[in-house]
Every structure is written in C-alpha cells, then in structure tokens.
Amino acid sequence: MIALFRNCLLAGAALALSAGVAYGEPEPTALVDQQHCMFCHTRDAPFLAPSFQQIAERYRDVPNAQRMLEHKLRLGGKAHWGDMPMPPAVERGGPLSAEDAHTLVQWVLSQ
Ligand code: HEC
C-alpha cells in the first residue's frame, strides 16, 4: 500500500518534469558533501559514474527502486551500469542512516 502510494508520487513527479516544471527536491547539500557524491557524479553529465539525471530516468517508473537504491547507498551492491560498483557509505565519508539514504535517493530520483 505504501509502495503504491510512493509510486503515485513518483509518477506525479515525472509528469511535472515532462510538463517543464522545475526540479523537484532541493539538494540535501550537507549530506551530499559529507558523502562526496559530486566527486563521482554530476547532475547532467556522465563522468566517473552515471549522471543523476540518467539514474532518475532509469528508475523513475521502476517499482521498489527507491528501496533498492537506499540499500545500495548505505551498504553498496553489485554494479548496474558498468564494471565499477559504487563504494558503500563507510568508504565514502561515514555510515549513512536509513533516513538520510531516503532523502538522498528521493533527491536523485527527482533530478
Ligand atoms: C567513488 C565514486 C562515487 C561516489 C563518491 C558516489 N557514487 Fe554513486 N555511483 C558510482 C558508480 C561508479 C555508480 C555506478 C554503479 C553501478 O554500475 O551500479 C554509481 C551509481 C549510483 C546510483 C545508481 C545505483 C544503481 O544501482 O543503479 C545512485 C542512486 C548513486 N550512485 C547515488 C549516489 C549518491 C547519492 C552519492 C552520495 C551519497 C554517490 N552516489 C556517491 C560512484 C560513486
């Protein structure tokens, strides 16, 4: 039920984006800095890692993507884009709480 509700929200966000409305979530800057996200990612250009826009595009309509990505952000996991997996949170800047992972993934998927 909750997952269904979340999917509706995501679908709404996708519609808003395709209608040309500005980006959804504000950047959680402190978390992004602490976890060095922008060391490997940019918002719109693939660099060492896929861009956040590519990631949002790929997962926007995928059920349970939010939960899968939160888990991956905290603990790492196998690569979905190429050969290089993303290092887990402890190797990026310190442990990441479930709540903070949720905030980050919501932000990425709103790009
Ligand atoms: C050391 C480099 C590095 C840092 C730092 C980094 N990433 Fe990544 N990230 C990667 C790479 C490489 C991939 C592609 C991994 C793959 O193929 O699944 C990736 C993939 C992702 C994905 C998609 C995962 C998937 O399964 O498709 C998300 C979401 C993501 N990063 C978010 C973040 C966020 C948010 C931060 C900061 C909290 C961050 N990354 C920090 C290198 C990094």
Side-chain angles (χ1 to χ4, degrees):
M1 207 45 202
I2 291 173
L4 197 66
F5 179 60
R6 192 188 292 142
N7 287 341
C8 289
L9 285 181
L10 284 177
L15 273 181
L17 278 181
S18 59
V21 177
Y23 317 109
E25 303 288 324
E27 180 182 306
T29 308
L31 276 174
V32 169
D33 287 351
Q34 185 226 341
Q35 291 275 313
H36 306 293
C37 307
M38 296 332 218
F39 185 82
C40 302
H41 293 275
T42 73
R43 200 173 78 80
D44 53 10
F47 171 49
L48 292 171
S51 74
F52 285 152
Q53 282 182 345
Q54 283 179 302
I55 294 170
E57 200 60 38
R58 172 167 173 171
Y59 292 112
R60 193 167 280 137
D61 297 325
V62 177
N64 295 326
Q66 171 96 24
R67 192 143 37 112
M68 181 281 283
L69 292 173
E70 285 170 18
H71 185 267
K72 186 156 170 174
L73 265 197
R74 298 180 70 197
L75 304 170
K78 72 176 172 55
H80 288 143
W81 294 81
D83 298 334
M84 184 176 148
M86 189 158 101
V90 281
E91 289 172 25
R92 289 193 317 259
L96 189 63
S97 71
E99 204 186 344
D100 288 349
H102 183 76
T103 305
L104 282 165
V105 171
Q106 251 185 345
W107 168 65
V108 169
L109 293 182
S110 78
Q111 296 302 294

